[in-house]
Amino acid sequence: RDLSEVFARLRLNVVGVNTQSRQSLAHMVFTVEVRGGESLARALDALAEVPGVSSAVRRSGAEPARPVALAGRPGRSQR
């Protein structure tokens, strides 16, 4: 199971992705449309369960809030 499977299973619309890699660690920021608080909570829980994800959180600030997933080891399977 990987991040894209979670997005597909929960029918989340990914509208943006930003990935940065440094020293075999990938920092991935996804902008995702969700239908409400319950959908957001379900998405964050499911993303946090994916092997290799160190955290999945809602960001807030000047930009719209969005889930963030951090996955390690680019090039390795996240299953």
Side-chain angles (χ1 to χ4, degrees):
R1 190 173 92 188
D2 65 10
L3 301 175
S4 60
E5 289 177 11
V6 171
F7 294 137
R9 180 170 41 88
L10 297 178
R11 298 177 186 245
L12 300 173
N13 186 25
V14 178
V15 296
V17 179
N18 184 329
T19 303
Q20 296 178 342
S21 297
R22 190 178 340 162
Q23 298 177 353
S24 75
L25 182 69
H27 179 145
M28 305 170 80
V29 177
F30 294 88
T31 303
V32 180
E33 294 178 338
V34 295
R35 296 178 190 194
E38 186 176 311
S39 293
L40 176 62
R42 200 169 29 247
L44 294 175
D45 289 343
L47 290 167
E49 292 177 8
V50 174
V53 172
S54 60
S55 69
V57 297
R58 177 183 182 178
R59 274 180 52 178
S60 60
E63 299 177 8
R66 58 188 166 206
V68 176
L70 302 177
R73 309 268 188 264
R76 295 179 88 187
S77 173
Q78 297 297 314
R79 293 176 193 241

